[in-house]
C-alpha cells in the first residue's frame, strides 16, 4: 500500500491545464496573419481594461505592425531602445523582400524574444507583462520580455531572525527568489519546473529540486498534488499548502514554510523539494519531520557544542510550553502531596483570596495573554511591542492585587508564554498553543492521569502522521542511527557524511571526509 495520501478533494484529471478555463478563448484558435483582424480580436478581449495599450508602427511600406502591452508592468525606456528604435530605424538591406518571422526577431535587441501562433499564447504573454508584436502578413506573433514589475527589495527575513548567517530573504517576485537559490547552487542538477495554478490568477508555481538527490517518487507526488488543484486564484503559498498536505485536520504543520533562501538550499541538499509561488515570500519545503521544525537555520552556522546546548534548552521549553499550566492545575487541584510543605503553604496563601478554581484562573490568564500577543502583532510595529509588554505587566499586577488570580499562576503563564516564543517554526508554535488548552482541560478533570493520557494521544498521532509519505517522527520512529547525529545532539559537519535516510536515499553520501589534520 502506498504511503502517500489518496487526495479526494481535487479533480482526478492529471496534467490538466488551467489556462483552458474562464479567461481563455479557445474558439479564437490560430492567428490569421491579417493585422487588422488579429488586433481587433485581442483588443475585444481586453475591452474595459484601462491598462491595456498599443502602439502602431510601420516597419516598411509593406509591413505594418502593432505592439500590445499593459501599462505599468513594462519598462518603457527599454521598449523604445530595444524594440521600437530597431524596428523603425533598421538599415536598408537587413530585411529581404519577403521576410520571415526570424528576420524581424533579428532586428530586436531584447534579451528574451520568443514567438507563438495562437491567440491564447498572445493573451497569456500580455497578462504576464510581455509585449506582443503583431506584423501584417505573418501568422505568428513575437513576444518580447521587457517587464518592469514593482517589487520589494531584498531584506532580512522578519519571521526567522538569526544572529549568525545570511541576512537576505525571499521577496514576492518568483524570478528573484529563483536567482537567490541559483546563486547558492551553481550546478546544472538544480531544476526549476514551472507550473500555472489558478483559473483566473494563472499564478506561477515553481517546483525546485536537485536531480539525482531528490527521491523521484516524492517528486512525482508533489507534481500530482499541485496539478489536481482547481481554484480561481492563488494569492500566496499558503493556498498551495492547504491543498497538498497529507492530513489537513491535524494541528501539526506537515509542510515547512520559510522565507530564507539558505534554508531552502540546505533542505534541497538533503533531498527535499521546495515549492516557490509567485507573489509570495514564503517557500514551501516537503517532506518535513517534527524535529526539522524544531531546528533553526542558525544551528548550522554556529559551533556544534553551543548548538547542542541550545537544542536541549529548546526541547526542554517545548515541554514547558505544552504542560506547565496543566501541571500547575493538576498539582493545586488533585496532587498537593507532590509539592514540598513550604511551597504548599505559599501557594495556598496566594490562592486564599482567589474566588475561582485553578482551571478558570488559568484559562483567564492564558486567554488574556493570547489576546495581548495578537494585539501586539496587529498594532503598528513601533507601539505593538510596547502594548504587549506593558499590557502583560499591568494586567498581571492588577489581577493579582484584585484577587482574581494568584501570583504563582502569573509566573506560570509568563514562563509558558516565553517558552512558546522559542520555536523556530511559527506554525508549530500555533499547534503547541492550541494543545496547551487541551491539556489544561484534561488536567482539570483527571489530574496527572489526564496529562499522561493527553501526551499519549499526542504521541500516537505524531507516530501515524506523514509528510508526503515520510514518517513525521523520523529518524526516531522509525529509528535510523546515522540520522540521529542531527536530532537533539548536533555533531560537527565533518561527521555528518550521509543525508537523511527518508529523503536522500537516492544519493545517500554527501561528504567524503578523510579525517582531521592537527
Amino acid at each position: 500500500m502506498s504511503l502517500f495520501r489518496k487526495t479526494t478533494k481535487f479533480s482526478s484529471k492529471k496534467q490538466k491545464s488551467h489556462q483552458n478555463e474562464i479567461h481563455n478563448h479557445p474558439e479564437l484558435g490560430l492567428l490569421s496573419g491579417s493585422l487588422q483582424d488579429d488586433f481587433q480580436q485581442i483588443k475585444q478581449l481586453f475591452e474595459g481594461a484601462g491598462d491595456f495599450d498599443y502602439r502602431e508602427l510601420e516597419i516598411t511600406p509593406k509591413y505594418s505592425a502593432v505592439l500590445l502591452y499593459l501599462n505599468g508592468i513594462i519598462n518603457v525606456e527599454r521598449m523604445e531602445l530595444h524594440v521600437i528604435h530597431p524596428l523603425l530605424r533598421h538599415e536598408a538591406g537587413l530585411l529581404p523582400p519577403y521576410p520571415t518571422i526570424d528576420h524581424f526577431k533579428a532586428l530586436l535587441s531584447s534579451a528574451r524574444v520568443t514567438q507563438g501562433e495562437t491567440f491564447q499564447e498572445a493573451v497569456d504573454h500580455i497578462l504576464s507583462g510581455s509585449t506582443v508584436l503583431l506584423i501584417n502578413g505573418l501568422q505568428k506573433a513575437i513576444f518580447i520580455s521587457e517587464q518592469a514589475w514593482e517589487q520589494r527589495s531584498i531584506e532580512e527575513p522578519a519571521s526567522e531572525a538569526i544572529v549568525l548567517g545570511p541576512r537576505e530573504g525571499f521577496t514576492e517576485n518568483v524570478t528573484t527568489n529563483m536567482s537567490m537559490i541559483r546563486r547558492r547552487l551553481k550546478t546544472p542538477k538544480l531544476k526549476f519546473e514551472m507550473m500555472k495554478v489558478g483559473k483566473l490568477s494563472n499564478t506561477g508555481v515553481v517546483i525546485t529540486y536537485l536531480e539525482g538527490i531528490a527521491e523521484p517518487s516524492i517528486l512525482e507526488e508533489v507534481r500530482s498534488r499541485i496539478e489536481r488543484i482547481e481554484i480561481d486564484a492563488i494569492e500566496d503559498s499558503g493556498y498551495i499548502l492547504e491543498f497538498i498536505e497529507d492530513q489537513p485536520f491535524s494541528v501539526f504543520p506537515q509542510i515547512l514554510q520559510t522565507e530564507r533562501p539558505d534554508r531552502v538550499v540546505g533542505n534541497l541538499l538533503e533531498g527535499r523539494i521546495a515549492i516557490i509561488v509567485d507573489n509570495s515570500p514564503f517557500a514551501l519545503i516537503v517532506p518535513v519531520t517534527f524535529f526539522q521544525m524544531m531546528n533553526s537555520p542558525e544551528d548550522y552556522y554556529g559551533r556544534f557544542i553551543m548548538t547542542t546546548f541550545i537544542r536541549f534548552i529548546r526541547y526542554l521549553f517545548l515541554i514547558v510550553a505544552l504542560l506547565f499550566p496543566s501541571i500547575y492545575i493538576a498539582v493545586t487541584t488533585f496532587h498537593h502531596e507532590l509539592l514540598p510543605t513550604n511551597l504548599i503553604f505559599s501557594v495556598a496563601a496566594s490562592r486564599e483570596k482567589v474566588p475561582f478554581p485553578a482551571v478558570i484562573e488559568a484559562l483567564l490568564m492564558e486567554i488574556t495573554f493570547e489576546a495581548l500577543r495578537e494585539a501586539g502583532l496587529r498594532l503598528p510595529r513601533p507601539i505593538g511591542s510596547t502594548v504587549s509588554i506593558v499590557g502583560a505587566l499591568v494586567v498581571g499586577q492588577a489581577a493579582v492585587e484584585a484577587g482574581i488570580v494568584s501570583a504563582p499562576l502569573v509566573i506560570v503563564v509568563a514562563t509558558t508564554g516565553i517558552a512558546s516564543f522559542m520555536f523556530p517554526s511559527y506554525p508549530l508554535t500555533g499547534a503547541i498553543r492550541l494543545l496547551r488548552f487541551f491539556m489544561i482541560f484534561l488536567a482539570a478533570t483527571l489530574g496527572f492521569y489526564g496529562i499522561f493520557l493527553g501526551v499519549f494521544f499526542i504521541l500516537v498521532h505524531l507516530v501515524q502522521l506523514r509528510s508526503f509519505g515520510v514518517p513525521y517522527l523520523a529518524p526516531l520512529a522509525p529509528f535510523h542511527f546515522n540520522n540521529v547525529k542531527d536530532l537533539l545532539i548536533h555533531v560537527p559537519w565533518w561527521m555528518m557524511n550521509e543525508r537523511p535516510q527518508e529523503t536522500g536515499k537516492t544519493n545517500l553520501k554527501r561528504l567524503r571526509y578523510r579525517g582531521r589534520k592537527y
Side-chain angles (χ1 to χ4, degrees):
M1 181 177 178
S2 175
L3 291 174
F4 296 121
R5 177 174 61 96
K6 300 298 183 181
T7 50
T8 58
K9 60 181 177 179
F10 309 133
S11 168
S12 59
K13 296 180 181 179
K14 292 188 176 183
Q15 304 294 339
K16 181 175 178 61
S17 173
H18 302 299
Q19 298 178 6
N20 296 328
E21 302 286 345
I22 299 179
H23 70 292
N24 290 351
H25 300 268
E27 71 276 2
L28 295 177
L30 300 175
L31 295 168
S32 67
S34 170
L35 179 61
Q36 189 64 25
D37 293 343
D38 294 341
F39 175 43
Q40 289 301 323
Q41 290 271 37
I42 296 178
K43 189 176 179 182
Q44 184 178 358
L45 293 178
F46 286 93
E47 185 178 1
D51 57 346
F52 176 73
D53 207 346
Y54 58 91
R55 167 75 184 273
E56 295 179 332
L57 305 172
E58 186 175 332
I59 303 175
T60 67
K62 184 179 178 180
Y63 291 97
S64 55
V66 62
L67 289 169
L68 309 173
Y69 55 90
L70 295 178
N71 278 318
I73 59 176
I74 68 162
N75 190 306
V76 178
E77 291 78 13
R78 290 208 308 260
M79 183 59 61
E80 291 181 355
L81 179 64
H82 298 154
V83 179
I84 297 178
H85 286 181
L87 288 175
L88 296 181
R89 301 178 181 178
H90 64 89
E91 297 180 5
L94 288 179
L95 288 176
Y98 300 99
T100 64
I101 193 77
D102 293 327
H103 290 110
F104 288 102
K105 287 170 61 178
L107 295 177
L108 307 176
S109 56
S110 294
R112 294 183 60 190
V113 179
T114 57
Q115 66 185 44
E117 56 185 13
T118 67
F119 280 97
Q120 190 56 59
E121 290 177 290
V123 171
D124 288 343
H125 277 82
I126 293 174
L127 293 172
S128 299
S130 297
T131 301
V132 174
L133 175 63
L134 298 177
I135 302 174
N136 190 36
L138 299 181
Q139 292 183 322
K140 293 183 179 181
I142 298 176
F143 310 132
I144 307 147
S145 296
E146 293 291 357
Q147 294 97 330
W149 302 95
E150 293 295 331
Q151 64 180 35
R152 179 171 58 92
S153 60
I154 298 175
E155 301 171 352
E156 183 174 357
S159 62
E160 296 175 278
I162 62 174
V163 177
L164 302 175
R167 301 290 179 177
E168 62 180 11
F170 286 132
T171 69
E172 286 75 13
N173 187 292
V174 68
T175 306
T176 302
N177 297 341
M178 291 165 61
S179 68
M180 285 192 280
I181 297 175
R182 175 67 71 180
R183 195 172 73 236
R184 289 169 166 81
L185 289 174
K186 302 179 180 67
T187 170
K189 292 185 177 181
L190 177 63
K191 305 299 180 182
F192 296 104
E193 291 187 10
M194 177 69 76
M195 307 173 69
K196 295 291 184 180
V197 181
K199 302 174 187 176
L200 298 179
S201 64
N202 224 15
T203 304
V205 177
V206 180
I207 300 175
T208 309
Y209 61 95
L210 281 171
E211 188 178 40
I213 296 179
E215 186 66 24
S217 59
I218 298 177
L219 178 60
E220 181 58 35
E221 183 69 12
V222 172
R223 291 195 194 105
S224 175
R225 294 189 188 185
I226 294 178
E227 286 168 356
R228 292 198 295 265
I229 298 175
E230 291 189 358
I231 191 173
D232 285 343
I234 297 292
E235 296 186 31
D236 185 79
S237 60
Y239 284 48
I240 301 289
L241 182 149
E242 289 199 2
F243 276 106
I244 66 175
E245 62 184 350
D246 288 61
Q247 297 191 23
F249 294 105
S250 173
V251 297
F252 288 97
Q254 301 135 59
I255 296 174
L256 178 62
Q257 295 173 277
T258 180
E259 54 180 332
R260 300 189 61 89
D262 58 320
R263 196 172 193 183
V264 169
V265 168
N267 282 277
L268 293 178
L269 290 169
E270 291 190 340
R272 296 184 177 90
I273 299 164
I275 302 169
I276 310 171
V277 180
D278 201 9
N279 303 320
S280 174
F282 286 90
L284 307 178
I285 296 174
V286 296
V288 295
T289 64
F290 175 80
F291 303 104
Q292 186 185 356
M293 294 282 185
M294 290 292 293
N295 293 345
S296 169
E298 193 174 5
D299 292 352
Y300 302 96
Y301 302 136
R303 300 188 69 246
F304 69 95
I305 299 175
M306 193 63 190
T307 296
T308 301
F309 171 72
I310 294 298
R311 284 190 180 179
F312 271 104
I313 297 296
R314 200 177 291 152
Y315 282 96
L316 172 64
F317 275 85
L318 170 66
I319 300 173
V320 171
L322 179 62
L323 300 179
F324 202 12
S326 56
I327 291 175
Y328 172 83
I329 293 171
V331 169
T332 55
T333 305
F334 298 102
H335 310 285
H336 309 91
E337 67 278 2
L338 293 178
L339 294 178
T341 304
N342 293 336
L343 186 56
I344 291 176
F345 289 147
S346 176
V347 173
S350 65
R351 298 196 71 253
E352 187 177 1
K353 297 180 181 180
V354 177
F356 305 111
V359 60
I360 301 299
E361 184 185 3
L363 287 175
L364 283 174
M365 287 303 298
E366 284 289 347
I367 293 173
T368 302
F369 190 87
E370 292 293 333
L372 288 170
R373 186 208 307 258
E374 199 67 19
L377 291 174
R378 303 292 168 248
L379 286 170
R381 188 171 298 178
I383 63 174
S385 58
T386 304
V387 168
S388 57
I389 295 172
V390 174
L393 292 173
V394 171
V395 171
Q397 183 67 25
V400 171
E401 292 181 355
I404 299 175
V405 298
S406 61
L409 181 65
V410 174
I411 297 173
V412 169
V413 172
T415 306
T416 304
I418 294 172
S420 64
F421 288 121
M422 295 192 63
F423 310 131
S425 172
Y426 182 77
L428 181 61
T429 302
I432 300 301
R433 285 159 61 185
L434 284 175
L435 289 173
R436 184 161 63 237
F437 287 96
F438 171 66
M439 300 302 298
I440 286 174
F441 284 113
L442 287 177
T445 54
L446 299 173
F448 270 112
Y449 299 106
I451 293 176
F452 293 144
L453 187 64
V455 171
F456 173 76
F457 279 120
I458 291 173
L459 289 177
V460 169
H461 175 68
L462 290 175
V463 167
Q464 61 87 34
L465 203 58
R466 296 287 188 273
S467 175
F468 282 79
V470 173
Y472 200 58
L473 288 186
L476 202 59
F479 184 75
H480 294 293
F481 177 75
N482 288 335
N483 300 149
V484 178
K485 297 176 182 178
D486 194 27
L487 196 64
L488 184 58
I489 298 174
H490 177 63
V491 300
W493 267 113
W494 43 269
M495 291 181 63
M496 293 195 295
N497 54 355
E498 290 186 358
R499 295 184 175 88
Q501 183 74 26
E502 299 77 24
T503 57
K505 58 185 177 183
T506 300
N507 186 353
L508 202 58
K509 205 70 164 178
R510 68 173 167 188
L511 177 66
R512 290 169 176 83
Y513 187 67
R514 298 182 178 179
R516 293 179 53 81
K517 294 182 179 179
Y518 295 94

